[in-house]
Tab-separated table of all heavy atoms in Angstrom:
chain	number	residue	atom	x	y	z
U	376	TYR	N	30.244	177.169	131.603
U	376	TYR	CA	29.473	176.446	130.613
U	376	TYR	C	29.287	175.001	131.070
U	376	TYR	O	30.181	174.425	131.693
U	376	TYR	CB	30.161	176.464	129.243
U	376	TYR	CG	30.387	177.871	128.724
U	376	TYR	CD1	31.616	178.510	128.932
U	376	TYR	CD2	29.394	178.549	128.036
U	376	TYR	CE1	31.828	179.792	128.463
U	376	TYR	CE2	29.593	179.821	127.562
U	376	TYR	CZ	30.819	180.446	127.788
U	376	TYR	OH	31.035	181.716	127.325
U	390	TYR	N	29.271	170.494	124.398
U	390	TYR	CA	28.446	171.649	124.735
U	390	TYR	C	27.318	171.844	123.709
U	390	TYR	O	27.502	171.614	122.512
U	390	TYR	CB	29.305	172.907	124.820
U	390	TYR	CG	30.301	172.854	125.952
U	390	TYR	CD1	31.580	172.363	125.746
U	390	TYR	CD2	29.938	173.246	127.243
U	390	TYR	CE1	32.518	172.311	126.787
U	390	TYR	CE2	30.832	173.180	128.292
U	390	TYR	CZ	32.121	172.708	128.059
U	390	TYR	OH	33.019	172.631	129.095
U	391	ALA	N	26.193	172.314	124.195
U	391	ALA	CA	25.020	172.528	123.360
U	391	ALA	C	25.220	173.778	122.488
U	391	ALA	O	26.116	174.598	122.718
U	391	ALA	CB	23.771	172.672	124.223
U	392	ASP	N	24.310	173.961	121.531
U	392	ASP	CA	24.423	175.084	120.592
U	392	ASP	C	24.347	176.438	121.308
U	392	ASP	O	25.013	177.379	120.911
U	392	ASP	CB	23.306	174.993	119.545
U	392	ASP	CG	23.473	173.788	118.625
U	392	ASP	OD1	24.610	173.277	118.554
U	392	ASP	OD2	22.489	173.384	118.000
U	393	ALA	N	23.515	176.518	122.356
U	393	ALA	CA	23.355	177.793	123.073
U	393	ALA	C	24.689	178.229	123.694
U	393	ALA	O	25.078	179.406	123.604
U	393	ALA	CB	22.287	177.672	124.148
U	394	ASP	N	25.396	177.281	124.305
U	394	ASP	CA	26.701	177.595	124.897
U	394	ASP	C	27.715	177.936	123.813
U	394	ASP	O	28.548	178.818	123.969
U	394	ASP	CB	27.200	176.426	125.732
U	394	ASP	CG	26.349	176.208	126.989
U	394	ASP	OD1	26.239	177.156	127.765
U	394	ASP	OD2	25.797	175.118	127.147
U	395	LEU	N	27.649	177.224	122.699
U	395	LEU	CA	28.568	177.493	121.596
U	395	LEU	C	28.338	178.894	121.051
U	395	LEU	O	29.280	179.623	120.748
U	395	LEU	CB	28.372	176.462	120.498
U	395	LEU	CG	29.266	176.583	119.268
U	395	LEU	CD1	30.718	176.398	119.649
U	395	LEU	CD2	28.869	175.562	118.203
U	396	PHE	N	27.075	179.286	120.924
U	396	PHE	CA	26.742	180.613	120.418
U	396	PHE	C	27.266	181.706	121.336
U	396	PHE	O	27.791	182.715	120.883
U	396	PHE	CB	25.224	180.741	120.251
U	396	PHE	CG	24.782	182.042	119.668
U	396	PHE	CD1	24.924	182.304	118.312
U	396	PHE	CD2	24.227	183.032	120.469
U	396	PHE	CE1	24.528	183.519	117.772
U	396	PHE	CE2	23.834	184.244	119.940
U	396	PHE	CZ	23.982	184.499	118.590
U	397	LYS	N	27.128	181.506	122.652
U	397	LYS	CA	27.651	182.482	123.612
U	397	LYS	C	29.159	182.637	123.474
U	397	LYS	O	29.689	183.745	123.612
U	397	LYS	CB	27.309	182.052	125.035
U	397	LYS	CG	25.812	182.121	125.371
U	397	LYS	CD	25.580	181.597	126.794
U	397	LYS	CE	24.112	181.552	127.132
U	397	LYS	NZ	23.876	180.987	128.482
Side-chain angles (χ1 to χ4, degrees):
Y376 301 95
Y390 295 92
D392 293 340
D394 292 303
L395 180 63
F396 183 76
K397 292 177 184 177

